Amino acid sequence: MKAGFYPKLAAEGIRKNKQLYLPYLLTGSVMVMMYYILSFLSASELLEYLKGGGILRTLLPLASGVIAVFSLIFIFYSNSFLLRKRSREFGLYNILGMDKRNLGRIMLWENLIVTTVSVAGGLILGISLSKLAELGMLNLLNEEINDSFQIDMGSARKTALLFAGIYLIILINSVVKVCRSSSLELLHSTNTGEKPPKAAWLPAVSGVLLLAIAYSIALSVEQPLEALYKFFIAVVLVILATYLCFISASVAFCLLLQRNKRYYYKPNHFISVSSMVYRMKRNGAGLASICILITMVLVMISSVFSLYTGAEDNIATMYPSDIMFQCLIPQKEDFNEETFLQIRRSITEKVPEQENVVEYGFGEVLGVLTENGFSANENVYQSGINPFKNVGELQLLSLDDYNRIAGTDIRLEKDECLLFSQQAGLIGKTFTLEGSAPFKVKTVAEPPQRFFSQASTSLIPLLLFVTPDFDTTAALWPDSTDSGEETENGTPLQFYLTYNFDMNTDIQTKIEAYELLHKEIDDIVPKGENESYSYRLNSREIARTDFYALYGGLFFIGVLLSFIFLFSAVLIIYYKQISEGFEDQNRFEIMQKVGMTKKEIRKSINSQVLTVFFTPLLLAGIHLAFAFPVIWKLLQLFYLSNLRLMILVTVVCFLIIGAFYTLVYKITSNAYFTIVSGRKA
């Protein structure tokens, strides 16, 4: 054979199957483009100068790794549709005299063409759009726009080598599959249906039970730290359950429909249900993949959008004042007005431009949450103590300080207290501290948010206990130590002073004030006997930069990954429709010959839509609803505090994705109808 025979045959095969190859080439190009953009941004010199660039240096390589793994899985998945369709053609070549070595050469040239077009096209797109991506990232981070254009050859080489390796793996897999199949198996591969699995009820019930377990785990989460490790367990269970439900439970469902004679023995239902049972195993896997991808998109985009749009609310919650200072008072006897005056005077001398000053002292202790109470006289790390549920933190505040800051005039008896917590279910009618009689909890309005400004960063519940007799209540715990470590008598109560204030100046002056205080902190913070000290100094303006670096980075990466996952879901839908269209073409052709009209074909297709195709979207919505409590707890670790915003964003995202899903199906179902009805595309 002539040297150019195999390349020509490969190119002709791609051209004749352009309906399948064009989406495949587009898939590869998009994956290459996204990987190059993320690699380009990861290697950008801008990260060295950006405020918050360190966060992005961590996030961007992680996102690149996700894209690399997902590209291998999805391109491999897409190639399986192509191989199934081309197998008949390869079988015909084999019967006409080509041996498996000749077929391997054709597949090699096809792979070379696909690899070249996908990698070259993806790199061209990636290089062209890399500047736009960089500008988008800078805009999200509230940074100045840089108009220089660069091409990172190192990222381009890394991208080309990665995807060349992916396509090489796909080539090896395809050649092995074809070489192991006989000519007849290749010829009839597109007509080989999937038999309904035996004993479908067992895996179906298993899928439902796994789903119930995953949902119960999600609903049982109470604390953010608990959500951090339980979320991944629930995700794995949901993925397994989704595949089992779609593959096995859907088979069982179709068998039930077949038993319903009124429903089944109608032209549109008969065709759709029988064809679904015929290939349900593969059909179910595709639908499960669509469901999981849509769920991932919904979770990701609603989370990052909630974080980014709620950034200012979160900053205001976390940092109610321009400058926030808090220090440990090492010895209990120093917790007095004289020490407070010394700290106050030192801060005022350095930063005289103060207004809206908020100053108060409080005690803080780590302990174990009991039923309607709190104990610090136990080791929180002992066996039997669940750190995700039982460990909490209690802050002790005097009633006088509370009334002064909150602007109230509440009166309490000695056996009464005010008790507040941002965690539900921790407050009853009475509350017992270790070694005391139960306190009656007096119900009042919520305290000023400034008392909980740092609570959202805490991985454990925070309780604010307001008492009319601070000294007597504080004496319930052992004397404090400089280290704050547990003693034989339990965890000591440590004493802190909070001094927060605003500044009616420009942003730069506020930052300079923070830097001055930080530089001269030795003159402000009281030292313990071993000359050690502990403090916390925060600036709202400094924090704003870090917040937007974190939220902007997460939003940027979330949008890119959501685009990839949504694009992949669309491709699965398209391949599903096209491949099933070719499989059903002969059957519908026979049905038309015996009198079935195109109108009845359309009804049959619509029946299949209503019966199966919108199930992934519905189940994705159910997954999202049950995952919402866990997602909310996780986002609290990122300081999100606006629950209403998150609910609104989640609902809007689901409606938008639902509308897009409907549009995609409408387009792809028309392609399916065109194939099975015999019209030319």
Side-chain angles (χ1 to χ4, degrees):
M1 295 184 183
K2 293 183 179 180
F5 176 74
Y6 292 110
K8 184 178 180 181
L9 202 59
E12 188 66 17
I14 293 174
R15 187 189 67 80
K16 287 182 177 179
N17 293 278
K18 62 182 179 181
Q19 198 172 21
L20 291 173
Y21 269 98
L22 286 178
Y24 183 59
L25 292 169
L26 181 60
T27 300
S29 297
V30 169
M31 297 295 181
V32 171
M33 175 191 74
M34 291 303 233
Y35 186 82
Y36 171 80
I37 288 175
L38 287 171
S39 297
F40 168 80
L41 294 175
S42 300
S44 176
E45 295 179 357
L46 284 174
L47 298 184
E48 299 293 332
Y49 310 105
L50 286 178
K51 294 177 181 177
I55 296 174
L56 289 173
R57 276 195 296 270
T58 302
L59 293 176
L60 289 171
L62 288 176
S64 299
V66 172
I67 293 294
V69 173
F70 187 77
S71 296
L72 172 62
I73 295 170
F74 190 70
I75 295 176
F76 203 96
Y77 183 87
S78 301
N79 183 71
S80 66
F81 286 96
L82 285 173
L83 189 61
R84 186 177 176 86
K85 181 66 175 67
R86 296 299 307 283
S87 292
R88 185 176 182 180
E89 188 176 330
F90 292 144
L92 183 60
Y93 288 155
N94 197 206
I95 288 175
L96 293 176
M98 282 191 178
D99 57 22
K100 297 297 175 65
R101 183 179 298 179
N102 299 134
L103 295 179
R105 289 180 180 177
I106 296 174
M107 295 171 71
L108 171 63
W109 278 103
E110 285 186 0
N111 188 272
L112 286 173
I113 294 171
V114 168
T115 303
T116 303
V117 172
S118 298
V119 173
L123 285 176
I124 291 171
L125 286 172
I127 292 169
S128 302
L129 298 176
S130 60
K131 186 60 187 179
L132 182 62
E134 184 183 275
L135 295 176
M137 183 181 72
L138 292 174
N139 184 59
L140 289 173
L141 299 179
N142 288 342
E143 293 286 346
E144 293 182 5
I145 302 301
N146 184 343
D147 57 0
S148 63
F149 181 81
Q150 294 179 336
I151 299 175
D152 185 3
M153 296 307 298
S155 295
R157 282 193 299 271
K158 184 170 72 171
T159 303
L161 289 172
L162 171 68
F163 282 88
I166 289 175
Y167 283 108
L168 177 61
I169 293 171
I170 290 171
L171 171 64
I172 294 171
N173 176 72
S174 301
V175 171
V176 169
K177 279 189 175 181
V178 170
C179 290
R180 285 183 175 179
S181 302
S182 66
S183 302
L184 289 177
E185 287 174 338
L186 292 172
L187 276 173
H188 297 290
S189 61
T190 56
N191 297 322
T192 303
E194 295 281 355
K195 295 180 180 180
K198 295 180 180 179
W201 291 106
L202 181 60
V205 172
S206 300
V208 173
L209 287 177
L210 284 176
L211 204 57
I213 293 171
Y215 288 166
S216 64
I217 290 174
L219 295 176
S220 67
V221 171
E222 296 178 1
Q223 311 302 338
L225 187 60
E226 187 183 7
L228 194 59
Y229 85 100
K230 281 190 173 182
F231 178 74
F232 297 102
I233 297 174
V235 166
V236 172
L237 290 177
V238 164
I239 291 174
L240 291 174
T242 301
Y243 275 99
L244 284 173
C245 285
F246 272 105
I247 294 172
S248 301
S250 54
V251 170
F253 180 66
C254 288
L255 292 174
L256 287 175
L257 290 179
Q258 283 184 322
R259 293 176 185 176
N260 187 338
K261 296 181 180 180
R262 286 187 177 181
Y263 178 88
Y264 184 60
Y265 289 107
K266 292 182 179 180
N268 52 335
H269 296 162
F270 179 83
I271 298 297
S272 61
V273 174
S274 61
S275 63
M276 283 188 291
V277 174
Y278 177 73
R279 54 165 178 267
M280 186 50 70
K281 198 171 185 178
R282 189 180 66 258
N283 186 54
L287 292 174
S289 300
I290 294 169
C291 177
I292 291 168
L293 287 170
I294 291 176
T295 305
M296 291 169 65
V297 171
L298 287 169
V299 169
M300 194 175 302
I301 201 68
S302 61
S303 299
V304 298
F305 196 77
S306 296
L307 285 174
Y308 190 76
T309 54
E312 287 300 324
D313 287 342
N314 301 341
I315 293 170
T317 299
M318 282 288 299
Y319 303 93
S321 301
D322 287 331
I323 303 291
M324 300 177 64
F325 171 77
Q326 188 178 96
C327 70
L328 172 70
I329 308 298
Q331 301 299 327
K332 182 178 180 180
E333 56 268 21
D334 293 330
F335 189 72
N336 53 44
E337 182 58 35
E338 183 179 344
T339 304
F340 294 174
L341 178 62
Q342 180 182 344
I343 295 172
R344 186 187 311 130
R345 184 183 298 137
S346 180
I347 294 176
T348 304
E349 286 176 356
K350 294 171 175 53
V351 184
E353 308 93 343
Q354 299 180 17
E355 59 181 34
N356 302 326
V357 176
V358 176
E359 179 188 15
Y360 62 94
F362 65 93
E364 185 174 86
V365 62
L366 185 70
V368 177
L369 298 171
T370 60
E371 187 176 356
N372 294 327
F374 179 88
S375 172
N377 296 335
E378 298 181 58
N379 187 326
V380 298
Y381 303 107
Q382 66 180 305
S383 177
I385 299 297
N386 185 340
F388 302 114
K389 287 188 175 181
N390 301 117
V391 176
E393 191 173 59
L394 185 137
Q395 287 187 356
L396 187 66
L397 183 70
S398 73
L399 179 61
D400 291 338
D401 280 346
Y402 176 84
N403 281 330
R404 176 172 52 81
I405 297 167
T408 57
D409 188 23
I410 297 172
R411 304 292 180 184
L412 294 175
E413 300 296 331
K414 286 188 177 181
D415 63 343
E416 291 182 326
C417 72
L418 301 180
L419 190 64
F420 306 97
S421 175
Q422 292 187 317
Q423 305 293 333
L426 296 181
I427 300 175
K429 293 183 179 180
T430 62
F431 194 80
T432 304
L433 298 176
E434 189 75 23
S436 74
F439 288 87
K440 298 175 184 176
V441 178
K442 189 170 183 178
T443 304
V444 297
E446 287 297 310
Q449 184 61 41
R450 66 176 66 255
F451 286 118
F452 288 107
S453 61
Q454 302 298 326
S456 56
T457 65
S458 179
L459 299 179
I460 58 177
L462 175 65
L463 291 161
L464 178 65
F465 188 95
V466 181
T467 174
D469 191 346
F470 184 90
D471 291 334
T472 301
T473 307
L476 295 172
W477 289 280
D479 292 339
S480 63
T481 62
D482 290 353
S483 64
E485 295 178 354
E486 293 186 349
T487 65
E488 293 181 359
N489 298 323
T491 307
L493 181 71
Q494 294 188 297
F495 298 93
Y496 292 87
L497 171 68
T498 292
Y499 189 90
N500 303 337
F501 59 90
D502 292 326
M503 298 178 65
N504 189 17
T505 58
D506 59 86
I507 293 175
Q508 186 57 37
T509 303
K510 294 177 183 178
I511 294 175
E512 290 173 357
Y514 164 80
E515 292 174 345
L516 176 63
L517 291 174
H518 191 273
K519 180 181 178 182
E520 302 187 12
I521 199 69
D522 285 347
D523 298 334
I524 303 172
V525 183
K527 299 176 178 60
E529 294 179 356
N530 57 0
E531 294 298 311
S532 64
Y533 56 86
S534 175
Y535 74 96
R536 179 185 290 161
L537 181 65
N538 293 308
S539 163
R540 183 192 288 159
E541 298 306 326
I542 297 291
R544 178 174 278 108
T545 300
D546 293 336
F547 263 73
Y548 276 100
L550 176 62
Y551 290 173
L554 288 173
F555 183 75
F556 179 76
I557 291 170
V559 169
L560 289 182
L561 292 180
S562 294
F563 173 79
I564 286 290
F565 295 149
L566 192 59
F567 178 80
S568 302
V570 170
L571 261 294
I572 292 176
I573 294 171
Y574 176 81
Y575 278 129
K576 176 181 177 296
Q577 297 288 62
I578 295 299
S579 62
E580 291 178 5
F582 283 118
E583 290 176 9
D584 294 343
Q585 191 175 38
N586 292 335
R587 273 173 269 169
F588 276 101
E589 185 178 346
I590 293 171
M591 296 302 291
Q592 287 183 80
K593 288 179 179 179
V594 297
M596 190 175 189
T597 64
K598 285 185 170 57
K599 184 177 180 181
E600 288 172 329
I601 293 175
R602 176 67 74 177
K603 281 185 178 180
S604 176
I605 294 171
N606 290 336
S607 173
Q608 187 171 340
V609 176
L610 296 174
T611 306
V612 171
F613 203 80
F614 280 93
T615 306
L617 181 63
L618 177 62
L619 189 57
I622 296 173
H623 286 344
L624 182 64
F626 278 95
F628 188 87
V630 183
I631 298 169
W632 167 243
K633 296 293 182 185
L634 286 173
L635 293 185
Q636 285 181 318
L637 297 176
F638 292 93
Y639 320 133
L640 185 65
S641 58
N642 194 333
L643 179 59
R644 289 184 179 180
L645 173 66
M646 187 180 172
I647 293 173
L648 177 62
V649 168
T650 302
V651 172
V652 170
C653 286
F654 181 78
L655 293 175
I656 292 174
I657 296 298
F660 179 76
Y661 185 90
T662 304
L663 177 64
V664 168
Y665 182 77
K666 183 68 177 175
I667 295 171
T668 55
S669 63
N670 286 336
Y672 176 89
F673 177 74
T674 299
I675 294 170
V676 300
S677 64
R679 294 189 302 180
K680 291 184 179 180

